[in-house]
Amino acid sequence: MRAAWVALVAASCYSPHLQPGAPCDPANPSCPMGETCIAFGGGYACEPPGTSPQNDSGPLPPTDAPMMMIDGHPDGHVTATDMDGDGVPDSSDNCPTVYNPDQANEDGDRFGDACDPCPPFPDMVPPTDSDNDGVSDACDPRPSTPGDKIFLFEGFHHGVPTTWIKTGTWAAGSNDDVTCDDTVTAAGATLTTPGPTDAEETVSTELVLLAAGTGGSRAGVVDDYDHTVPAGLSCQLNLTDKVNLFDIEPGTQVGNVAFTYAVGDRFELGVSRDAMAFTCAARDTTSSTSSTLISGNSATDSTTPEVGIRIHTTAVAVKWVMVVSH
């Protein structure tokens, strides 16, 4: 189960003003005594224990450009049948209380990326959320410790995001992904975006290795990255059948572990950061190769951290990138 992979890479208070059925935030629930914050009616609500959940969605923010919001809805666009004002009727909206006009849905379950507590993997109903922090165990790096939040999820449903920082040539793929081929130029390529600044997060991705060149071929996910230096940490596959944790600015390998894989395989990779301590994990979902862990510290720290993808002398298709802040 995918929860095992993310596990490798962690308090509610009483408010007398909330009434039963009132909306609540599972990351900071404030329900009356005797009630809990559960998935209910397209979002989260304070309900008595044992109330049947209605879906697995949560009040997570969309990754698109923000709109002017009043009481959680775009001003002037709310109707009785379109609670979030995104132009999609509640009866067919996969996030009826979260603005998501594109209805993006990476995992194809009943709930869109904007309100899914685990966007890349289909959830059970109700989802398993052991620490009740709004992030399902399958996506939670610390499933037994509350306080995690999905900071960013990008499923590349509309090709290469215009706001992301790009080096190399990236393009929309044919399978709801983005692709880049660096096998000829071998100049290296990156696709990044600003990440959390709190120094504790997990950055993960799923990609397909389309081709590998020679001489330092590698592909992976980066955290605490600065494209102007460049600097940061990369959790990457490389041509020598290994997984590395690589410190980019000094150009040093923090650690590596043997990891057999093949062109055409699909992988999940993730790097977790706790201050300047990093952990790297990789899983070949095509061959079901067991996850691999590498831990180490970095001497560099970016003041404007970016997260995303970095490749060299290889070709990849990137399915998604997710950031969970701790």
Side-chain angles (χ1 to χ4, degrees), residues 28-45:
N28 186 26
S30 301
C31 290
M33 187 175 296
E35 296 182 10
T36 58
C37 186
I38 65 170
F40 194 87
Y44 283 87

Side-chain angles (χ1 to χ4, degrees), residues 35-287:
E35 296 182 10
T36 58
C37 186
I38 65 170
F40 194 87
Y44 283 87
C46 295
E47 297 291 345
T51 301
S52 177
Q54 301 300 305
N55 64 42
D56 69 353
S57 61
L60 302 175
T63 58
D64 297 332
M67 293 187 63
M68 181 65 70
M69 306 291 281
I70 294 181
D71 294 332
H73 304 290
D75 187 21
H77 297 280
V78 180
T79 69
T81 57
D82 184 11
M83 289 186 293
D84 56 14
D86 60 9
V88 182
D90 293 343
S91 59
S92 57
D93 196 335
N94 61 18
C95 288
T97 62
V98 179
Y99 185 84
N100 68 328
D102 66 0
Q103 298 289 284
N105 189 355
E106 177 71 26
D107 57 13
D109 65 7
R110 296 191 300 158
F111 310 105
D113 296 344
C115 64
D116 197 325
C118 188
F121 310 132
D123 291 307
M124 299 179 64
V125 181
T128 302
D129 183 6
S130 300
D131 53 17
N132 195 36
D133 60 5
V135 182
S136 295
D137 289 359
C139 282
D140 196 335
R142 309 179 308 167
S144 300
T145 304
D148 295 323
K149 179 180 179 181
I150 297 179
F151 173 85
L152 174 148
F153 180 81
E154 177 56 67
F156 304 110
H157 308 297
H158 305 291
V160 182
T162 58
T163 58
W164 284 44
I165 304 162
K166 298 173 285 292
T167 64
T169 302
W170 295 85
S174 58
N175 296 300
D176 193 25
D177 50 25
V178 292
T179 63
C180 185
D181 187 344
D182 189 55
T183 56
V184 176
T185 64
T190 57
L191 182 63
T192 61
T193 191
T197 58
D198 55 9
E200 291 188 16
E201 69 274 345
T202 296
V203 185
S204 55
T205 189
E206 185 169 17
L207 57 82
V208 179
L209 183 62
L210 301 177
T214 58
S217 182
R218 53 189 180 268
V221 61
V222 291
D223 187 21
D224 197 31
Y225 186 72
D226 185 344
H227 74 279
T228 64
V229 177
L233 270 287
S234 177
C235 175
Q236 61 188 24
L237 304 171
N238 69 37
L239 236 180
T240 54
D241 291 335
K242 290 182 173 62
V243 176
N244 307 41
L245 183 61
F246 190 76
D247 200 340
I248 297 168
E249 182 179 15
T252 59
Q253 185 173 249
V254 177
N256 71 78
V257 175
F259 188 76
T260 302
Y261 56 89
V263 171
D265 284 2
R266 190 163 173 159
F267 301 91
E268 295 165 9
L269 295 97
V271 58
S272 287
R273 178 167 69 129
D274 181 0
M276 296 311 296
F278 292 79
T279 302
C280 170
R283 179 173 180 264
D284 186 332
T285 60
T286 301
S287 65

